[in-house]
Amino acid sequence: MTWGNAKAVGSRGAWSDRRMRAAGAACAAQLPVAGIVAFTLTLGDDDYGATGGGAIGLICFLLFGPFLLPVVGLLHAAVLTLPAAWLGRLGAARLGRGPEWAWSLGCLLPVGAVWAACFAALGAPFVQTALWSAASGVLPVLHVAYCRRREERLGRPLRKVWILSGLTSLGLCVAVLGGAVAATATGLIKEYEPPRLSVEQLTGTWRGEHDESVVLRLRADGRAVLDGTPFERVGTDADGWYDSEIARCHATGTWRVNRDRDRFPRRPAVAVDAKGCGDRQLWTVGGTEARPELFVSFGDPDSPDIEVLVRRRG
């Protein structure tokens, strides 16, 4: 059965093996490019001192990506691209206005909204998820339409769809990486620099970004009030092994601008000392001049296990 007479069998044509391969190959090809573009856009963002995650992620992708991408591509085609193509096929057949691929593109949004509703039940934002889901199906839908027209023109099934998609993806990845390197070298993309806050700018009340019960008050006289701020309590368990836990601190103490910079050498920080709150805490400066932040991390500095972020509220 060719693309040309597939319409005669109703909805089965929209779920044919050829459409599945074409949609899956396009989705698998776009994922690495999208990932590199997303990484490039974050080069100027604050990494909060966690410098090791990107390299580890890249190594894992190079090792497992070639095996996982085809599976992810076919799954994406089955749950998003082909349902939208099926709905578009029905719309074009019933109303007879416009090409089938245009109908399929229009049906990506309702299909994406269905999946967004499922993820929204788990706490994900509905609108952004629906839009990103719909956008991820645009290229696969267009690729399916292209493969269909080309096969009808040649009169034979297309071969090497996966190979051609992989080579195209590789070429685009190299081009995007080259552009990112050039933009970084020429200064178009600047490395993030934390703001240099004065004592007056640091003075005030800082509340947790995700948990407003965390409050850090830095007073002009050098006193600090810690209300619900975390600290690492160190001890030993029943067997004598080293043990630690994250506890909440409710105390008063002192603060000053850190001059040692022993944990984040290139970043300014605030040193807070309070009895009963463990060792000295270093609240590192982040954010921007207009919207400054303070954060404290626990665990490996390159990949912290727990990170608490506070923003100035007064």
Side-chain angles (χ1 to χ4, degrees), residues 9 58 109 138 176 203 207 219-220:
V9 297
L58 179 60
L109 190 56
V138 171
V176 173
T203 301
R207 292 185 182 275
R219 297 181 176 177

Side-chain angles (χ1 to χ4, degrees), residues 7 28 32 36 69 84 96 106-107 121-122 126 203 210 248 264 277 307:
K7 190 174 181 178
I36 292 177
L69 283 176
C107 292
L122 302 176
F126 174 78
T203 301
H210 305 292
R248 292 292 189 107
F264 297 104
C277 296
E307 184 176 280

Side-chain angles (χ1 to χ4, degrees), residues 33-86:
V33 182
I36 292 177
V37 171
F39 174 75
T40 302
L41 295 176
T42 62
L43 289 178
D45 294 344
D46 190 355
D47 60 7
Y48 298 104
T51 58
I56 296 175
L58 179 60
I59 294 174
C60 292
F61 173 77
L62 293 176
L63 291 176
F64 303 107
F67 306 99
L68 294 178
L69 283 176
V71 177
V72 175
L74 291 174
L75 179 62
H76 181 277
V79 302
L80 183 69
T81 307
L82 296 188
W86 176 68

Side-chain angles (χ1 to χ4, degrees), residues 46 48-49 192-199 201-202 206 255-271 281-289 292-296:
D46 190 355
Y48 298 104
Y192 171 79
E193 287 290 339
R196 303 291 173 176
L197 303 180
S198 64
V199 173
Q201 290 174 302
L202 290 168
W206 302 76
W255 73 277
R256 61 178 176 80
V257 177
N258 181 55
R259 303 301 181 187
D260 300 331
R261 299 183 182 179
D262 51 356
R263 184 160 188 176
F264 297 104
R266 295 181 298 172
R267 303 189 65 140
V270 173
Q281 295 184 4
L282 287 182
W283 289 84
T284 308
V285 176
T288 62
E289 191 79 23
E293 302 169 348
L294 296 177
F295 69 91
V296 61

Side-chain angles (χ1 to χ4, degrees), residues 240-262:
W241 293 93
Y242 170 85
D243 189 22
S244 66
E245 62 176 351
I246 303 301
R248 292 292 189 107
C249 180
H250 301 272
T252 59
T254 60
W255 73 277
R256 61 178 176 80
V257 177
N258 181 55
R259 303 301 181 187
D260 300 331
R261 299 183 182 179
D262 51 356

